[in-house]
Amino acid sequence: MNEITRFAPKGANAERILRTAALLALSCLTLVLGACQSTRSLSDRMESKYSLKKRKTSISRLWPQGPERCSLPVQVSGRAFRSMLDSIEDSRGVRYRFGGTTPDGFDCSGFVQYLYNLSFQMLLPRTSGELALVGPIIRRDRLQPGDLVFFASGDEITHVGVYIGNQRFAHASSKAGISVNTLFQSYYNARFAFGTRIIRVE
């Protein structure tokens, strides 16, 4: 005789009482697990979620002689990196355009795709969600210039920018176009998910 049946009430109501007790215990367990989940930061939740997805460990670079597959992060010269910073500066103020991938107008992932193709001949995925699966995940306190930084709404990646150092990142803002902001600004601080590393500067 197990403990539940040993101490179960006698009579017709015993089964109903035991079923109610089991449902109550299950409800309590669900509440406890939900509370634990809600106390985790957005960044911790997003890192955990995206680290479990299949991540891309290589990328194509387009050279005059044809495409070449390279392991991530790709080592790039300081000169090429400075050229990317110049391109960011030259692009400041370019208007936001949904689906935009050219200096006539950019959206966030279109701007990243444009920069890395122009400066490093990289062929990157088109959307921020796809970009979030490229390269190793980097925590906020380990970011280096050239890393990509991602932001989330709920549990989905919705925005991407390029980390340029000193807690600053360049991106295509839907309100201001190409601009530079800091990760400390309340809007971005609350939505920061993680970074990824696709280049390493020599």
Side-chain angles (χ1 to χ4, degrees):
M1 178 183 297
N2 63 37
E3 292 301 309
I4 292 177
T5 56
R6 180 181 172 190
F7 293 102
K10 307 292 186 213
N13 291 331
E15 186 177 336
R16 183 170 51 84
I17 292 171
L18 286 174
R19 188 181 301 120
T20 302
L23 287 173
L24 183 60
L26 184 60
S27 298
C28 290
L29 180 61
T30 302
L31 285 172
V32 168
L33 292 175
C36 291
Q37 176 71 10
S38 65
T39 60
R40 297 175 66 198
S41 71
L42 173 65
S43 183
D44 285 343
R45 293 198 314 271
M46 294 305 289
E47 281 184 31
S48 177
K49 176 180 177 178
Y50 275 79
S51 66
L52 294 175
K53 294 189 177 189
K54 186 174 182 181
R55 306 196 58 79
K56 295 185 179 179
T57 58
S58 64
I59 201 77
S60 290
R61 298 181 79 185
L62 192 58
W63 301 107
Q65 65 270 24
E68 174 189 4
R69 200 75 185 167
C70 301
S71 296
L72 295 170
V74 175
Q75 188 148 325
V76 301
S77 68
R79 181 178 179 178
F81 181 71
R82 288 189 295 274
S83 173
M84 186 182 76
L85 295 179
D86 290 342
S87 295
I88 290 172
E89 197 60 36
D90 292 343
S91 299
R92 288 182 75 159
V94 170
R95 70 186 181 99
Y96 179 90
R97 183 167 66 87
F98 181 76
T101 60
T102 72
D104 290 332
F106 293 107
D107 66 12
C108 65
S109 54
F111 182 54
V112 169
Q113 189 183 52
Y114 168 82
L115 282 178
Y116 283 76
N117 184 288
L118 181 68
S119 303
F120 312 122
Q121 297 75 48
M122 284 185 166
L123 301 177
L124 293 179
R126 178 62 188 89
T127 69
S128 56
E130 292 169 331
L131 282 168
L133 297 174
V134 179
I137 290 177
I138 304 297
R139 295 187 66 87
R140 182 170 174 163
D141 59 354
R142 301 290 181 91
L143 289 171
Q144 294 178 4
D147 289 345
L148 301 185
V149 286
F150 294 90
F151 304 87
S153 177
D155 278 342
E156 297 299 325
I157 295 296
T158 56
H159 193 61
V160 60
V162 180
Y163 186 71
I164 58 175
N166 297 318
Q167 298 299 312
R168 298 180 305 142
F169 68 102
H171 64 129
S173 162
S174 58
K175 292 183 178 179
I178 303 304
S179 51
V180 173
N181 293 92
T182 76
L183 295 176
F184 290 125
Q185 287 178 251
S186 58
Y187 180 87
Y188 299 109
N189 186 50
R191 291 164 176 78
F192 181 82
F194 53 79
T196 63
R197 182 158 299 151
I198 59 174
I199 64 168
R200 178 175 285 115
V201 183
E202 290 177 350

